[in-house]
Amino acid sequence: MGPLSARLLMQRGRPKSDRLGKIRSLDLSGLELLSEHLDPKLLCRLTQLQELDLSNNQLEVLPDNLGLSHLRVLRCANNQLGDVTALCQFPKLEELSLEGNPFLTVNDNLKVSFLLPKLRKVNGKDASSTYSQVENLNRELTSRVTAHWEKFMATLGPEEEAEKAQEDFVKSAVRDVRYGPESLSEFTQWRVRMISEELVASSRTQVHEADSPEKPPEAGAAHKPRARLAALKRPDDVPLSLSPSKRVCASPSAQVEGGPVAGSDDGQPPMKLQPLHFLQCHSKNNSPRDLETQLWACAFEPAFEEGATSQTVATCGGEAVCVIDCQTGIVLHKYKASGEEFFSVAWTALMVVTQAGHKKRWNVLAAAGLRGLVRLLHVRAGFCCGVIRAHKKAIATLCFSPAHETHLFTASYDKRIILWDIGMPNQDYEFQASQLLTLDTTSIPLRLCPVASCPDARLLAGCEGGCCCWDVRLDQPQKRRVCEVEFIFSEGSEASGRRVDGLAFVNEDVVASKGSGLGTICLWSWRQTWGGRGSQSTVAVVVLAQLQWSPTELAYFSLSTCPDKGIVLCGDEEGNVWLYDVSDILKQPPPLPAAPQAPTQILKWPQPWALGQAVTKTMVNTVVANATFTYLTALTDSNIVAIWGRL
């Protein structure tokens, strides 16, 4: 489709007319229109247009000067829009459709609500339910920016140039003023910039008026109403897809933080952590009485900026996958698949190039479980953009390769591990996955762990029958491979064939692994173990240290690590979280003590209240922290997501 013409507009406009100025409704859907095809000089002749349908095209932006000041209904579904700020040119807009624009997020929906005060419906839904949320955001941001302004101005010396100082203020406000969940940071920083610039403009006006002899003295009072900074008149609804999450309250007797246990280093103060939120967001049929759904895996979303950290975590269990903001405890998104039971989730960050050549960052969440399917979820846009029929039996776990953002390992009860390339999405945002490798196992694989120092060459897996390693280099001819090496953890035949249900790298060399019934977590050296294997197919690991853990005979408590902090985490059958700071242990000169090292700290189960009584005991199946160890998420056997925060 080329540029629009007056003849086409009259053909597709209603009522039928030979004059563009009389058209009130115009359907331009499904014409494969690009943004440059929207000619403002032509469209501004539609002086009476009230309804415009631009759905099912290829628009990436809306031109700023379309001149449709009477527009009341706008449909832009199924395009490639990446920004909504141009919508402010339609001040009378009452109905808006933006569904099917994968690059728009909840932040853009909030911007829409702020920019269009007369909006009544968004994506067919009533636009009034989130009035208080947007109003509170605006009020709090205004207050914080104003306080930042007063503090900033108080530090300026009289010799500093006012204009440059005001520019510095805007930059510092955008950098330092924070409020609300991280998932809304794009919106809040956008508003902070606007508020800051309004403050600066107000200040310049006051300076100008104070310097003008013609102005009456009362003109200086303009600062008072400006402190409110054009407070939001009518913040409108945003379809946030907030799934109702059932909360359970912490018991008054909850032990907020476990102290250092006997035998630990008393000279090292324990990390200060406190329970923040307890959620029942995976309930079957949304029942508040569901304390039975088992929750299995969670993963923190990759941060959008280098050096930043994420506070958004994906959790899975039952037939649901939830995405939760750890700061607020809000369930931002919820995906349900009837008849499924999700066992594992994993994130990857893709850089997608649009048809116009623009690069877009896109975090994709993979989820899998009982049915052997991998679902690729575009979380922020709220839909499933691909399904891989990966295995005929249940998928126990999955993980993306750190070396290739599109490479995904899936491990199944069919005793196979498969490496997939999910590829990049097509113009309809659909994935076409291809199978790269099949790795055969002799027992069910439970945990996957690409080797930290060579993730594109070797893969470790904890299995029902032990710990194994495969060659996953793609430049080798065989596309189906058997285990290259099996690792054992002590001398003797009994050590071989023991279940390994916890596996993670602490750093590029040190591996943490756990088996049921041992009461310990083993720290061993990958580099020394691999370097000394020779041509053997069974190799004893080089143990660096043993960590004391629960003596339970129960299995499938997954451990995790926080490599940047040198921390190992694991739950237990009593609802506790065992926390080990192993950085000091690994610095000790050999030989290390033979006795298992006590945990740095044990976070006791806080016994939250649900259904009128305390949940005194549960099993913590998995516990994961974000990279900076500011938030810790624990998943239980009783449908409770517990979120801890570091003080």
Side-chain angles (χ1 to χ4, degrees):
M1 180 70 192
L4 298 174
S5 65
R7 181 179 179 182
L8 178 65
L9 299 188
M10 288 185 286
Q11 286 176 347
R12 300 181 71 104
R14 296 290 184 274
K16 289 292 185 180
S17 174
D18 58 355
R19 296 178 58 185
L20 295 179
K22 292 187 177 182
I23 294 176
R24 300 174 67 87
S25 176
L26 180 60
D27 183 1
L28 296 178
S29 63
L31 297 179
E32 299 185 356
L33 293 174
L34 302 177
S35 299
E36 54 265 32
H37 294 157
L38 300 181
D39 183 3
K41 293 182 180 179
L42 178 62
L43 293 175
C44 70
R45 295 165 59 186
L46 300 164
T47 55
Q48 298 301 315
L49 190 67
Q50 296 189 12
E51 184 173 345
L52 176 61
D53 190 346
L54 293 170
S55 302
N56 302 307
N57 285 297
Q58 300 174 22
L59 305 176
E60 294 189 358
V61 294
L62 292 175
D64 291 327
N65 52 347
L66 293 178
L68 306 175
S69 58
H70 295 283
L71 199 64
R72 297 180 184 275
V73 178
L74 177 61
R75 300 184 182 91
C76 291
N78 301 317
N79 278 282
Q80 301 181 47
L81 295 176
D83 183 67
V84 297
T85 52
L87 293 173
C88 66
Q89 66 185 295
F90 310 125
K92 296 183 179 180
L93 205 62
E94 298 176 1
E95 296 184 23
L96 176 65
S97 174
L98 292 171
E99 294 175 308
N101 285 274
F103 299 119
L104 296 184
T105 70
V106 64
N107 293 278
D108 297 294
N109 293 335
L110 286 168
K111 291 178 184 179
V112 165
S113 294
F114 183 82
L115 294 169
L116 301 172
K118 294 188 176 181
L119 205 60
R120 293 186 298 105
K121 286 188 177 182
V122 178
N123 296 336
K125 298 178 181 179
D126 181 22
S128 60
S129 62
T130 57
Y131 174 88
S132 59
Q133 182 193 14
V134 181
E135 183 182 45
N136 289 340
L137 278 172
N138 189 69
R139 184 188 302 114
E140 183 65 26
L141 289 172
T142 299
S143 174
R144 294 189 180 210
V145 173
T146 303
H148 188 72
W149 167 259
E150 293 171 353
K151 182 178 179 181
F152 182 88
M153 295 304 291
T155 62
L156 293 182
E159 71 283 357
E160 295 190 55
E161 186 181 343
E163 187 166 342
K164 183 180 185 306
Q166 290 165 349
E167 292 176 359
D168 292 342
F169 163 71
V170 174
K171 295 177 182 178
S172 71
V174 173
R175 183 185 65 245
D176 298 334
V177 175
R178 292 287 185 269
Y179 180 68
E182 183 187 11
S183 57
L184 304 184
S185 61
E186 181 188 337
F187 170 77
T188 55
Q189 290 183 22
W190 177 74
R191 279 296 296 136
V192 165
R193 180 175 293 278
M194 292 174 65
I195 295 168
S196 304
E197 290 173 347
E198 288 177 7
L199 264 177
V200 168
S202 172
S203 172
R204 288 172 179 166
T205 301
Q206 292 169 49
V207 171
H208 173 75
E209 292 177 348
D211 292 342
S212 174
E214 288 85 5
K215 291 291 180 181
E218 56 267 28
H223 179 65
K224 283 191 176 179
R226 256 305 173 188
R228 294 194 297 272
L229 296 176
L232 190 60
K233 295 179 181 177
R234 184 197 177 280
D236 298 278
D237 175 52
V238 177
L240 294 177
S241 303
L242 295 184
S243 303
S245 60
K246 275 69 68 179
R247 292 174 179 266
V248 286
C249 302
S251 165
S253 61
Q255 183 171 344
V256 172
E257 176 225 331
V261 299
S264 65
D265 182 5
D266 292 334
Q268 181 179 2
M271 283 171 273
K272 300 289 187 179
L273 291 139
Q274 66 173 354
L276 301 178
H277 310 287
F278 298 89
L279 308 175
Q280 281 178 276
C281 48
H282 292 265
S283 299
K284 189 173 182 180
N285 299 322
N286 292 325
S287 170
R289 307 190 68 82
D290 181 2
L291 292 174
E292 297 179 353
T293 296
Q294 295 174 307
L295 310 182
W296 291 112
C298 58
F300 276 88
E301 182 177 17
F304 274 87
E305 297 179 7
E306 187 174 352
T309 187
S310 173
Q311 64 187 41
T312 306
V313 67
T315 61
C316 73
E319 60 184 16
V321 175
C322 295
V323 178
I324 303 168
D325 183 275
C326 290
Q327 181 185 37
T328 63
I330 293 175
V331 180
L332 301 172
H333 308 279
K334 187 172 184 177
Y335 176 82
K336 296 183 72 173
S338 180
E340 181 65 277
E341 183 176 2
F342 288 105
F343 295 150
S344 188
V345 288
W347 291 94
T348 189
L350 303 181
M351 191 62 71
V352 179
V353 180
T354 68
Q355 292 180 344
H358 301 147
K359 291 184 177 180
K360 301 278 188 177
R361 169 69 178 268
W362 185 0
N363 285 348
V364 176
L365 180 66
L370 185 64
R371 298 176 64 182
L373 306 175
V374 177
R375 291 174 168 85
L376 301 173
L377 308 178
H378 190 327
V379 173
R380 295 182 185 275
F383 66 91
C384 177
C385 47
V387 176
I388 305 172
R389 300 186 180 278
H391 299 269
K392 293 183 178 180
K393 292 187 177 182
I395 295 174
T397 188
L398 50 73
C399 73
F400 280 97
S401 167
H404 303 280
E405 67 273 17
T406 64
H407 287 189
L408 175 68
F409 291 98
T410 60
S412 171
Y413 283 76
D414 63 11
K415 300 181 183 178
R416 289 188 180 93
I417 300 169
I418 297 180
L419 174 59
W420 305 87
D421 187 349
I422 66 171
M424 301 299 287
N426 60 22
Q427 63 181 7
D428 296 321
Y429 307 101
E430 299 171 338
F431 288 91
Q432 295 293 328
S434 59
Q435 185 172 329
L436 301 178
L437 289 177
T438 299
L439 311 176
D440 291 318
T441 69
T442 56
S443 61
I444 297 171
L446 304 173
R447 308 287 179 240
L448 296 178
C449 192
V451 173
S453 59
C454 51
D456 55 349
R458 296 288 185 276
L459 175 74
L460 287 179
C463 305
E464 287 284 358
C467 182
C468 299
C469 179
W470 285 265
D471 183 341
V472 294
R473 290 175 293 178
L474 295 177
D475 58 358
Q476 304 300 305
Q478 301 88 354
K479 299 305 177 186
R480 186 159 191 164
R481 303 174 188 176
V482 297
C483 168
E484 186 177 15
V485 176
E486 179 184 358
F487 297 109
I488 57 175
F489 295 88
S490 62
E491 298 297 330
S493 59
E494 290 185 3
S496 180
R498 188 183 292 275
R499 176 191 297 121
V500 174
D501 56 10
L503 190 67
F505 272 84
V506 180
N507 54 38
E508 285 204 349
D509 175 44
V510 180
V511 187
S513 60
K514 180 184 72 67
S516 60
L518 296 177
T520 58
I521 294 171
C522 179
L523 300 181
W524 53 283
S525 169
W526 160 262
R527 190 176 296 117
Q528 295 179 52
T529 301
W530 190 255
R533 72 182 180 95
S535 59
Q536 302 175 76
S537 60
T538 302
V539 179
V541 301
V542 178
V543 177
L544 301 176
Q546 298 278 356
L547 307 178
Q548 177 189 338
W549 183 66
S550 168
T552 180
E553 293 290 334
L554 298 174
Y556 312 123
F557 295 98
S558 178
L559 65 77
S560 68
T561 61
C562 192
D564 291 344
K565 302 296 181 180
I567 290 173
V568 178
L569 300 162
C570 193
D572 71 8
E573 78 286 2
E574 299 288 339
N576 303 321
V577 174
W578 298 61
L579 191 155
Y580 310 84
D581 186 345
V582 301
S583 53
D584 288 339
I585 296 176
L586 297 176
K587 291 176 184 176
Q588 297 178 23
L592 292 173
Q597 304 289 299
T600 308
Q601 197 171 351
I602 297 179
L603 304 178
K604 297 295 185 181
W605 177 243
Q607 299 187 16
W609 283 80
L611 303 178
Q613 60 184 2
V615 181
T616 59
K617 186 176 179 180
T618 189
M619 289 188 281
V620 171
N621 291 325
T622 190
V623 54
V624 175
N626 63 350
T628 55
F629 204 74
T630 49
Y631 294 101
L632 181 153
T633 301
L635 303 188
T636 71
D637 240 21
S638 53
N639 189 31
I640 296 174
V641 178
I643 299 174
W644 302 70
R646 189 172 182 181
L647 296 174

